[in-house]
Amino acid sequence: MKRIIIIFIILFFSRSSLSTPYFFVHHLNPVKSLSKDQIKQIFMGESFTWEDGKEIQVVDYKKEVEEKKTFMKDFLKVSPFYLYKKWIRASLQGNTLPIKLFGSHQEVVDFIETTPDAIGYMYLNEIKSDKIKIVPVKNND
Amino acid sequence: MRNFYLIVFVTIQISTIYASDLTGYFQSDFNISENHSAPSGFRLRRINLIYAKKVLENAKILTDIEFEDGLELGTNGGIGEIKISRGYGELIINKNMEVRAGKFLTPYGIYNEIHDFSASYVPIDPPLFFRKNLFFSNTSSQRAISKYSTGILINFNHKKFHLQGGVANGEQQKEDGSDQNRSPLTLIRMTYEFWDQAWIGMSFQRDKINTSSRPRWENSFAFDLQFEGQQYIFQTEFFQGKKWNRTTGVQSTNYQSVSTLLGHNLNDDFIGYIRYDVFIPDITKSENNTQEYGMGLNYFVNYYTIIKWESYQESLATSWVQKKDYLTHKLSLSIVY
């Protein structure tokens, strides 16, 4: 019975860690933590500025990257079409910077290292840069 | 074609100066119409240059210059036009409220505020009710609602409830940006997300038309329902409008329209859909109507580039035009940059 419970707990937590990726920003970004709702708003083009008023530069992967598909389905829980439409509308309202798309983790890391207002994500923590910090994710209030 | 290059050149020049604040939109269509007066072929639908800038911590301006329908600069040959389709300042009062003043797309139904940008909705064209040149009689064609408004609009958001209300100059007979009608238009739009990614919406317009020959009121009401899940999209809208003479009080027209769309995400890149629209210019003579039913595909090249195909049948059945059915195939490319 104990084994079953342990296996269940492992599966439960491994599932949680899969559905919530690591979010990371430039080390000079003053943000201390973000809630899941805040992150969803940022990645769906609904929230455009950091608390200090600077515009958020959202970084994502090209559509063929498997991580992006997982992120849309498991974390944002929206279809690609819904997400693209949100970004198109936000862009045409002049509300947000165009999203930056990259094909690999390394490209995302390289970009965020040099862009203080950018935010990106990845499911496995492969970050080995002291110019980048992981943002803790809070549960929604 | 020369003018197309000119527009592209101007766009690039402006982009280099105001790169961070400038966005734009490009759409080109190709259509094949059987038995239709509209010629088959390529069409440069529009190029928009949108300049948006935060001028203060809590204030933004937006200017949207639109080149429509293959504008022919300096000649009489073109059917297109150039206009400021949107130009407004927006003041953020607090996190729930914004006040907008200037010229904007009237909040009405699902489509009117995104009317010009096919990339931000499923079909290639918005439903019949939102288009220009709707035939109300054998002599006149016009819009059913005011597409643009010049006035003041308040946007209010609270959790899943969104309210927009304003007062504006009213229906503009011309679409070049000039105001022909400075009588007040009252407008309200409300949406509520009652379930995850499911919305209910209501819109209302009351327009006072001041033409000397036919001074009249125009009231219009719309109800809409939307659902956008990971697999399916469903949209339906119902419209009802009335026009009556302000002097005599006699009602002249009572019109209705319904549009419905059902879409399915075929995979991460494609959406297939079917749609049906009907517009009845006078419900006392409901046999006079325009109907469209069609099917199509959206292909997402990336976040900002969409290719669409649609085939639809248009059926005109009016007492002043011989009954006709038109079959049209359209291909469209939209790029947001």
Side-chain angles (χ1 to χ4, degrees):
Chain A
M1 188 63 184
K2 259 187 182 175
R3 273 188 190 168
I4 293 171
I5 292 170
I6 290 166
I7 289 168
F8 177 78
I9 289 169
I10 290 168
L11 284 174
F12 180 80
F13 283 103
S14 61
R15 174 70 196 148
S16 301
S17 65
L18 268 179
S19 61
T20 305
Y22 296 97
F23 294 94
F24 52 97
V25 296
H26 191 275
H27 71 115
L28 294 178
N29 190 320
V31 65
K32 289 191 171 63
S33 66
L34 290 166
S35 71
K36 282 187 178 178
D37 275 354
Q38 282 175 313
I39 291 169
K40 282 184 184 176
Q41 285 170 353
I42 289 170
F43 278 87
M44 297 219 291
E46 293 172 349
S47 182
F48 323 118
T49 52
W50 295 109
E51 275 188 7
D52 60 7
K54 290 180 178 162
E55 281 188 285
I56 301 171
Q57 174 63 67
V58 176
V59 180
D60 202 346
Y61 298 98
K62 290 178 179 167
K63 66 176 185 177
E64 57 273 14
V65 178
E66 203 57 40
E67 205 149 359
K68 179 194 181 75
K69 294 175 186 173
T70 311
F71 182 62
M72 279 192 289
K73 283 179 181 149
D74 292 351
F75 186 81
L76 298 178
K77 298 186 192 313
V78 295
S79 67
F81 176 65
Y82 182 77
L83 187 64
Y84 298 166
K85 263 195 334 179
K86 294 285 271 186
W87 276 97
I88 287 170
R89 288 181 192 180
S91 189
L92 294 171
Q93 290 291 341
N95 283 337
T96 181
L97 295 170
I99 199 161
K100 292 275 182 193
L101 301 173
F102 295 102
S104 70
H105 289 168
Q106 194 53 51
E107 285 175 315
V108 171
V109 169
D110 290 347
F111 181 78
I112 294 181
E113 273 183 336
T114 57
T115 314
D117 302 317
I119 181 168
Y121 66 89
M122 64 174 70
Y123 277 87
L124 295 172
N125 187 356
E126 295 175 356
I127 302 164
K128 295 179 182 72
S129 167
D130 54 3
K131 290 181 180 167
I132 280 179
K133 67 176 183 185
I134 305 277
V135 183
V137 179
K138 297 182 296 185
N139 282 325
N140 299 321
D141 298 328
Chain B
M1 202 60 182
R2 185 190 58 190
N3 294 308
F4 172 74
Y5 290 122
L6 179 63
I7 291 167
V8 172
F9 175 74
V10 170
T11 306
I12 292 167
Q13 290 301 306
I14 296 173
S15 303
T16 53
I17 301 168
Y18 301 104
S20 64
D21 303 310
L22 196 77
T23 53
Y25 182 77
F26 164 87
Q27 185 186 341
S28 185
D29 296 350
F30 175 74
N31 72 296
I32 301 168
S33 302
E34 294 172 6
N35 308 319
H36 201 292
S37 55
S40 297
F42 290 99
R43 183 180 171 197
L44 174 59
R45 282 292 285 274
R46 53 176 47 91
I47 291 180
N48 292 62
L49 298 177
I50 302 162
Y51 178 71
K53 188 169 178 64
K54 220 174 158 181
V55 286
L56 293 168
E57 191 60 41
N58 60 345
K60 181 182 101 176
I61 55 152
L62 183 143
T63 311
D64 180 354
I65 302 169
E66 181 173 291
F67 303 84
E68 190 180 5
D69 273 330
L71 174 71
E72 295 284 334
L73 292 170
T75 70
N76 295 321
I79 56 164
E81 55 191 11
I82 178 170
K83 64 190 173 198
I84 304 282
S85 67
R86 294 178 296 166
Y88 58 77
E90 201 168 70
L91 192 64
I92 301 161
I93 307 295
N94 57 43
K95 66 173 185 175
N96 298 115
M97 191 183 285
E98 296 154 7
V99 177
R100 184 181 295 176
K103 183 181 177 187
F104 44 85
L105 286 156
T106 310
Y108 195 93
I110 298 170
Y111 284 83
N112 202 53
E113 276 188 294
I114 51 172
H115 193 127
D116 289 333
F117 307 117
S118 177
S120 60
Y121 50 82
V122 180
I124 292 179
D125 296 306
L128 281 169
F129 193 78
F130 295 103
R131 297 185 209 162
K132 56 185 170 187
N133 303 331
L134 277 176
F135 279 95
F136 281 85
S137 70
N138 58 343
T139 54
S140 76
S141 70
Q142 60 187 95
R143 286 191 185 281
I145 56 159
S146 175
K147 177 180 175 185
Y148 300 105
S149 295
T150 303
I152 290 181
L153 180 75
I154 295 172
N155 280 312
F156 175 77
N157 291 292
H158 181 66
K159 294 183 178 170
K160 297 185 171 188
F161 178 71
H162 186 200
L163 172 70
Q164 294 166 287
V167 180
N169 281 348
E171 184 185 357
Q172 293 161 25
Q173 304 296 320
K174 286 188 176 180
E175 300 207 348
D176 61 359
S178 63
D179 277 338
Q180 300 268 310
N181 172 20
R182 289 171 188 268
S183 305
L185 166 95
T186 313
L187 59 102
I188 296 171
R189 170 144 175 86
M190 289 180 281
T191 54
Y192 178 67
E193 189 177 0
F194 62 95
W195 203 21
D196 210 15
Q197 291 171 236
W199 298 263
I200 188 169
M202 278 185 282
S203 312
F204 174 76
Q205 276 191 9
R206 181 177 173 83
D207 201 358
K208 184 180 176 185
I209 309 290
N210 255 355
T211 58
S212 54
S213 58
R214 290 172 59 221
R216 63 192 189 276
W217 290 106
E218 288 186 10
N219 280 8
S220 170
F221 169 82
F223 169 82
D224 55 86
L225 190 65
Q226 296 182 74
F227 170 70
E228 296 200 19
Q230 291 202 30
Q231 289 300 317
Y232 293 97
I233 298 166
F234 175 72
Q235 293 178 343
T236 188
E237 296 189 88
F238 169 79
F239 309 91
Q240 171 120 20
K242 283 182 183 177
K243 300 179 184 194
W244 67 92
N245 190 303
R246 280 187 11 238
T247 316
T248 63
V250 175
Q251 185 175 308
S252 57
T253 321
N254 193 346
Y255 48 97
Q256 273 184 357
S257 185
V258 175
S259 72
T260 303
L261 181 143
L262 180 65
H264 177 47
N265 291 315
L266 302 172
N267 62 26
D268 287 342
D269 299 330
F270 286 95
I271 286 181
Y273 66 92
I274 51 173
R275 68 174 180 88
Y276 173 73
D277 281 11
V278 58
F279 175 70
I280 304 166
D282 183 349
I283 58 171
T284 61
K285 299 168 188 161
S286 60
E287 67 280 7
N288 287 346
N289 61 57
T290 306
Q291 294 183 61
E292 274 187 13
Y293 36 97
M295 58 191 289
L297 271 181
N298 285 194
Y299 170 60
F300 298 91
V301 180
N302 62 35
Y303 266 77
Y304 297 117
T305 307
I306 300 181
I307 297 170
K308 297 181 179 184
W309 156 77
E310 185 176 283
S311 292
Y312 65 93
Q313 179 93 2
E314 182 184 359
S315 178
L316 271 176
T318 59
S319 55
W320 57 86
V321 177
Q322 191 183 356
K323 186 179 184 321
K324 282 181 183 171
D325 292 330
Y326 304 113
L327 179 63
T328 301
H329 309 284
K330 272 191 179 181
L331 199 62
S332 171
L333 168 68
S334 307
I335 302 170
V336 181
Y337 53 92

